[in-house]
Each structure stands twice: as C-alpha cells, then as structure tokens.
Amino acid sequence: MIKRGIVGRIVSGHELGSYVKVEELPDDPPSFLILTASDREFREGSGDSWVEDYASLEQFFEESRWVIEWEE
C-alpha cells in the first residue's frame, strides 16, 4: 500500500536507505508528487518526481522496486 502524506524509509530497491513521501496534489483527478531525500527532514540529497494519476504512481513504485517501511 502506498501511503500519502507519511514519511517512509526505502528498505529495498533503488535509492535504498533514502526517505520518501508522497503528496497528493489537488488536481482532478489527483496527481502525485514523490519526494525523496537522504535525511528524514528532506534537506539533503533531495529530489522529486511527478506522476499524473494513481495508476502511474503504482507503476512508479513497481519500477523502482521499492519496499517501504512507513512511519505511523
């Protein structure tokens, strides 16, 4: 499950050890901004990607082979 608005740590796949956060943008239908960084505060080594819909978000995660430990 891909959580939105919650920080997670990439424990497998590309960018192993980095942090990720998915933000849902207020488009209709919603698009998504995927933030990554080497630190939990997203200050160092940060980057972002954009996808146009939820299906594209799922494909992005699948292609990245990410396994995420989401914080609660």
Side-chain angles (χ1 to χ4, degrees):
M1 178 177 192
I2 301 172
K3 297 188 178 186
R4 292 164 281 211
I6 296 176
V7 174
R9 178 102 186 208
I10 301 170
V11 296
S12 181
H14 299 288
E15 300 185 71
L16 175 66
S18 294
Y19 290 86
V20 63
K21 186 175 183 181
V22 177
E23 296 290 342
E24 184 173 320
L25 301 175
D27 303 325
D28 187 25
S31 61
F32 299 89
L33 184 62
I34 305 151
L35 306 170
T36 57
S38 58
D39 67 315
R40 193 193 179 294
E41 290 76 30
F42 293 83
R43 294 183 195 151
E44 296 182 29
S46 60
D48 59 47
S49 298
W50 174 86
V51 293
E52 63 185 334
D53 56 27
Y54 193 79
S56 299
L57 179 64
E58 290 178 315
Q59 183 177 357
F60 183 94
F61 270 66
E62 185 177 313
E63 289 174 2
S64 298
R65 298 179 180 242
W66 282 349
V67 175
I68 310 291
E69 285 184 358
W70 299 103
E71 297 178 359
E72 295 300 324

